[in-house]
Amino acid sequence: MPSRTRADIPIAVLTDFGYRDHYVGAMKGVIATIAPATRVIDLTHGVPPQSIVAGALALRESWTYFPKRTIFLCVVDPGVGTDRAPIAIETRAGARFVGPDNGLLSLAANAAGIKAIVKLTARRYRLADVSSTFHGRDVFAPAAAYLWRGVALRSLGPRIGGIEQLDIDGPVRSGNRLKGRVIYVDGFGNLISNVDRDALAELIARFPGRSAWVRIGNSAPMRIIEAYGHTIKGALLATFGSFNLLEVAVRDGSAAQQLGASVGAPLTVITRPG
Amino acid sequence: MPSRTRADIPIAVLTDFGYRDHYVGAMKGVIATIAPATRVIDLTHGVPPQSIVAGALALRESWTYFPKRTIFLCVVDPGVGTDRAPIAIETRAGARFVGPDNGLLSLAANAAGIKAIVKLTARRYRLADVSSTFHGRDVFAPAAAYLWRGVALRSLGPRIGGIEQLDIDGPVRSGNRLKGRVIYVDGFGNLISNVDRDALAELIARFPGRSAWVRIGNSAPMRIIEAYGHTIKGALLATFGSFNLLEVAVRDGSAAQQLGASVGAPLTVITRPG
Amino acid sequence: MPSRTRADIPIAVLTDFGYRDHYVGAMKGVIATIAPATRVIDLTHGVPPQSIVAGALALRESWTYFPKRTIFLCVVDPGVGTDRAPIAIETRAGARFVGPDNGLLSLAANAAGIKAIVKLTARRYRLADVSSTFHGRDVFAPAAAYLWRGVALRSLGPRIGGIEQLDIDGPVRSGNRLKGRVIYVDGFGNLISNVDRDALAELIARFPGRSAWVRIGNSAPMRIIEAYGHTIKGALLATFGSFNLLEVAVRDGSAAQQLGASVGAPLTVITRPG
């Protein structure tokens, strides 16, 4: 690893603003004005509109791949303009998070180990005019840029004791099966479920010698395999994907389309001999 | 504010090239070849294809959020290959604009105060081969990159006296109402109108004690509120959004879909007691 | 040209990951961790899912516009997790390519002149845990970042003698016509064919005094013109576009929609008097 200076620490940005409008561009303009030497990395701006769950999952699965002191500037904010608090978080792992206190930051921040949280109220670290509809530009981008410049977390506003948690309930075991559901559909049409590796391992441990299969609704059972490539074009398969969650995919196609399934669809893991 | 060097001045890029093809990437390759230390910021590449109005509005609403000497490289260019002039503009506010002379730059450049305009004809500041279909790569990107390197505006070509103006007519008052229309639909499905804060303030001043309501076509009247969050999911609302224009939106949904409305739909502001 | 340091050499990234998910963001996080001072340029992430041909064409048409020693990190990888090799290539032109050995790199690398190829097997230049579904993050991004830092190509793995070639067959001449086909549809709906300038020039040379027209399927013949602007709104036209291939387009519209045509549609060039 090379030695690091502040210039090496990026600001990574995650939003649901999409790519059609100038909203993300304006946020980057604000960062470039306050902290011109910052490197800004787009984590994604394609979070489905207002989907706090999808944003929180994307952040949880990607923050560990960034440099240690990265500042994550995250805006999926259906409550903008109401009294949900704008916050910034420092963690034991080094990562810093800036965004609305609505659960969006909770999965990643918990995993990184929360050290301190502040409510972003200091006027000098916001834009002079704060709109009621665009805190990404007027409140969150300035906070991230000033943090990057070395402004102390406590200068951004008063400490608060905790953050909103996001509840993503896990699957429920019932006899020799796990009952889960689709919680996210990615850009390829892959159906991502709430079944993690631990839940599957626990099921398999109870039924040694059996193998595990997956169904979406009443679909034909699919075997769980290691890699997309190990199957033929157009065939359905179940695997652990980039979210570290069990997902159903089609090689060179869209599982969502092929199965007519979307968020909320039941996913069942069953065990059977052989 | 930290002190600035040339490296701190970004080139901000706005196009209608979308995100599917390599067109924007090639423009950035050209910039990196001519001016390797430049920071390039994507303002957006999602301007609806050929929509000069949408591009001009996005630019007008975002240029003020960028560092003072930012170079805005803008390409929405239905007339590429014809005799519309390629131009560069310096402004009293400091911002510089490069793009086709078709109205795209006019709203922002007028607001920034035009100081000088040149037609981009100097061969040494273009690529050696200029295609007839891709001036973004062959003419505009090199001009922006050489400007960034310190080449004087006047070296890029001869001065011209004025630019094409974009006419976006405002709403018309008729008794106690303003008759406007939808001029843009953003990525969330919000319906953005040609009614600005001044026009609304003037109407309200004429009818003290009344409140203002908005209709799209024959829709039920919607009250004008301050923030998206102040309403329930799925409810229609009218507010001043990120374009500083009156817009109709749905919390957690698409107003365009819900109302079946698109660009050109009539929007009326009415005043009534209470 | 300014003098160059390593910091001036970008990593250009091309994938089919789209813009909805965090996949590209995670790759950039990996690069920023290994090589924090790198400039990363998005070539495009909008290659149609799993379309090796579209990715290879986009790369062939854009690599020459980048600085000489640019590292192209390319991931369109339907065979991820199988035994297709991960590779890196050095070329006589200076450009370096990293990606799967499935033809994706072949058009650009051949044009740049292949000097050396290695298979990416060295464990110390991968992430510690390599998933079976995401080599972009775990294998290719680290290889590109270490190359950028100055790690020698031969340290990344053993030399191999050749790469997978992509066969894009050209058009077939039959009397006074060329029979080609649509090989790609871009984001504007332009229909890009396999007819290059040489094939057309050869046809025209055989029939002096005649002019060339284009048909898609049984469409009305379209004249080949120089620039999009030289026609009226909504009119179909044929021209050589940004891929340097004959393409059919509609000014301010989508040729794919207007003609109901997609990849594979027959395109014929005919010559006729006048």
Side-chain angles (χ1 to χ4, degrees):
Chain A
M1 276 316 101
S3 74
R4 286 176 188 286
T5 65
R6 187 196 296 160
D8 291 346
I9 298 171
I11 294 179
V13 192
L14 174 148
T15 75
D16 66 343
F17 293 157
Y19 293 87
R20 179 160 168 185
D21 301 300
H22 62 284
Y23 304 137
V24 172
M27 287 174 65
K28 291 180 182 175
V30 168
I31 294 172
T33 301
I34 296 170
T38 317
R39 288 167 198 278
V40 175
I41 297 180
D42 295 303
L43 188 34
T44 180
H45 305 294
V47 173
Q50 322 282 18
S51 177
I52 295 170
V53 169
L57 284 172
L59 188 59
R60 181 182 74 180
E61 291 311 311
S62 47
W63 74 274
T64 53
Y65 293 97
F66 281 79
K68 209 174 171 208
R69 297 270 295 153
T70 297
I71 297 165
F72 294 90
L73 166 56
C74 305
V75 191
V76 179
D77 196 10
V80 63
T82 61
D83 56 6
R84 69 91 192 89
I87 57 172
I89 302 174
E90 279 183 354
T91 67
R92 286 191 292 273
R96 292 169 284 178
F97 300 93
V98 174
D101 186 19
N102 60 12
L104 177 66
L105 310 176
S106 63
L107 302 181
N110 292 344
I114 294 176
K115 214 166 68 181
I117 314 158
V118 297
K119 189 169 169 179
L120 302 172
T121 56
R123 281 169 179 274
R124 65 182 290 202
Y125 299 121
R126 300 172 154 203
L127 295 197
D129 294 314
V130 172
S131 69
S132 54
T133 55
F134 196 0
H135 287 187
R137 179 192 65 199
D138 303 338
V139 176
F140 298 124
Y146 283 113
L147 266 184
W148 185 91
R149 277 178 58 181
V151 168
L153 188 77
R154 64 178 179 279
S155 302
L156 300 178
R159 292 280 290 263
I160 56 176
I163 60 171
E164 283 290 317
Q165 297 297 323
L166 194 69
D167 282 326
I168 301 181
D169 48 338
V172 176
R173 192 174 62 78
S174 161
N176 69 335
R177 57 187 60 199
L178 276 178
K179 295 182 174 176
R181 62 193 173 84
V182 173
I183 58 171
Y184 182 56
V185 180
D186 78 10
F188 289 101
N190 299 333
L191 304 164
I192 289 123
S193 79
N194 62 341
V195 178
D196 61 21
R197 288 181 191 270
D198 288 349
L200 183 70
E202 199 224 24
L203 180 74
I204 286 171
R206 282 173 186 270
F207 300 93
R210 294 192 175 196
S211 63
W213 300 71
V214 170
R215 300 171 71 169
I216 298 284
N218 295 313
S219 77
M222 297 161 265
R223 209 185 251 279
I224 299 174
I225 66 168
E226 276 305 307
Y228 283 21
H230 291 128
T231 185
I232 55 171
K233 270 197 184 193
L236 285 158
L237 62 97
T239 192
F240 281 91
S242 306
F243 285 101
N244 271 313
L245 291 167
L246 195 58
E247 64 184 63
V248 170
V250 175
R251 187 167 167 200
D252 301 356
S254 162
Q257 255 175 34
Q258 196 158 322
L259 292 167
S262 58
V263 170
L267 174 145
T268 314
V269 184
I270 52 183
T271 61
R272 21 187 241 190
Chain B
M1 277 314 103
S3 74
R4 288 177 185 286
T5 66
R6 187 196 298 159
D8 291 345
I9 298 170
I11 294 179
V13 193
L14 174 147
T15 77
D16 66 343
F17 292 158
Y19 294 87
R20 179 160 168 183
D21 301 301
H22 62 284
Y23 304 136
V24 173
M27 288 173 64
K28 291 180 182 175
V30 168
I31 294 171
T33 301
I34 297 170
T38 318
R39 287 166 199 279
V40 175
I41 297 179
D42 296 303
L43 189 34
T44 181
H45 306 294
V47 173
Q50 321 283 18
S51 176
I52 295 169
V53 169
L57 284 173
L59 188 59
R60 180 182 75 178
E61 292 309 313
S62 47
W63 75 274
T64 53
Y65 293 97
F66 281 79
K68 208 172 172 207
R69 297 271 295 153
T70 296
I71 296 165
F72 294 90
L73 165 56
C74 306
V75 192
V76 178
D77 196 11
V80 63
T82 62
D83 56 6
R84 69 91 193 89
I87 58 171
I89 302 174
E90 279 182 354
T91 67
R92 286 192 291 275
R96 292 169 284 178
F97 299 93
V98 174
D101 185 19
N102 60 12
L104 176 65
L105 310 175
S106 63
L107 302 182
N110 292 344
I114 294 177
K115 213 167 68 181
I117 313 158
V118 298
K119 190 169 169 179
L120 302 171
T121 56
R123 281 170 180 274
R124 64 182 292 205
Y125 299 121
R126 297 174 156 203
L127 295 198
D129 295 314
V130 172
S131 69
S132 55
T133 55
F134 196 1
H135 288 187
R137 179 192 64 199
D138 303 338
V139 177
F140 298 123
Y146 282 113
L147 266 185
W148 187 91
R149 276 178 57 181
V151 168
L153 188 77
R154 65 178 178 279
S155 303
L156 299 178
R159 291 280 289 261
I160 57 176
I163 61 171
E164 283 290 319
Q165 297 297 323
L166 193 69
D167 281 327
I168 300 181
D169 49 339
V172 175
R173 194 175 61 80
S174 163
N176 69 334
R177 57 186 61 199
L178 276 178
K179 294 183 174 179
R181 61 190 173 86
V182 172
I183 59 172
Y184 182 55
V185 180
D186 78 9
F188 289 101
N190 299 334
L191 303 165
I192 289 123
S193 79
N194 62 342
V195 178
D196 60 22
R197 288 181 191 271
D198 287 349
L200 183 70
E202 199 223 26
L203 180 73
I204 286 173
R206 283 173 185 270
F207 299 93
R210 293 193 176 196
S211 62
W213 299 71
V214 171
R215 300 171 68 169
I216 297 284
N218 296 312
S219 77
M222 297 161 265
R223 208 186 252 278
I224 300 174
I225 65 167
E226 275 306 307
Y228 283 23
H230 291 127
T231 184
I232 55 171
K233 272 198 184 194
L236 285 157
L237 61 98
T239 192
F240 282 91
S242 306
F243 285 101
N244 270 314
L245 292 166
L246 195 58
E247 65 184 62
V248 171
V250 175
R251 186 164 168 202
D252 300 356
S254 162
Q257 255 176 32
Q258 196 159 321
L259 292 167
S262 57
V263 170
L267 174 143
T268 315
V269 184
I270 51 181
T271 60
R272 23 187 238 189
Chain C
M1 276 316 103
S3 73
R4 285 176 188 288
T5 65
R6 186 197 296 160
D8 290 344
I9 299 170
I11 295 179
V13 192
L14 174 147
T15 76
D16 67 343
F17 292 158
Y19 294 87
R20 180 161 166 183
D21 301 301
H22 62 284
Y23 303 137
V24 172
M27 288 174 64
K28 291 181 182 174
V30 168
I31 294 171
T33 302
I34 296 169
T38 319
R39 287 167 198 278
V40 176
I41 297 179
D42 295 303
L43 190 34
T44 181
H45 305 294
V47 173
Q50 322 282 17
S51 176
I52 295 169
V53 169
L57 284 171
L59 188 59
R60 180 182 76 178
E61 291 311 313
S62 46
W63 75 273
T64 53
Y65 293 96
F66 281 79
K68 208 174 172 207
R69 299 269 295 152
T70 296
I71 297 165
F72 293 90
L73 166 56
C74 305
V75 191
V76 179
D77 196 11
V80 63
T82 62
D83 56 5
R84 68 93 192 86
I87 58 173
I89 302 174
E90 279 183 354
T91 68
R92 287 191 290 276
R96 293 169 284 178
F97 299 93
V98 174
D101 185 19
N102 59 12
L104 176 66
L105 310 175
S106 63
L107 302 181
N110 292 344
I114 294 177
K115 213 167 68 181
I117 313 159
V118 297
K119 189 169 167 179
L120 301 172
T121 56
R123 281 169 179 273
R124 64 182 291 203
Y125 298 121
R126 299 175 155 202
L127 294 198
D129 295 314
V130 173
S131 69
S132 55
T133 54
F134 196 1
H135 287 188
R137 180 192 63 199
D138 302 339
V139 177
F140 299 124
Y146 283 113
L147 267 184
W148 186 91
R149 276 178 57 181
V151 168
L153 189 76
R154 64 177 180 282
S155 302
L156 300 179
R159 290 280 289 260
I160 57 177
I163 61 171
E164 284 289 317
Q165 297 297 322
L166 194 70
D167 283 327
I168 301 182
D169 49 337
V172 175
R173 194 175 60 80
S174 161
N176 69 335
R177 55 186 64 198
L178 276 178
K179 294 181 174 180
R181 62 191 171 85
V182 173
I183 58 171
Y184 181 55
V185 180
D186 79 8
F188 289 103
N190 298 335
L191 303 164
I192 290 124
S193 79
N194 60 342
V195 178
D196 61 21
R197 288 180 191 272
D198 288 349
L200 183 71
E202 199 225 24
L203 179 74
I204 286 172
R206 283 172 185 270
F207 300 93
R210 292 193 176 196
S211 62
W213 299 71
V214 171
R215 300 171 69 170
I216 297 284
N218 295 313
S219 78
M222 296 161 265
R223 209 184 250 280
I224 299 174
I225 66 167
E226 276 307 306
Y228 283 22
H230 291 127
T231 184
I232 54 170
K233 270 197 185 192
L236 284 157
L237 61 99
T239 192
F240 282 91
S242 307
F243 286 102
N244 270 313
L245 292 166
L246 195 58
E247 65 184 62
V248 171
V250 175
R251 186 167 167 200
D252 300 356
S254 162
Q257 253 175 35
Q258 196 158 321
L259 293 167
S262 57
V263 170
L267 174 143
T268 313
V269 184
I270 54 183
T271 61
R272 29 186 235 190

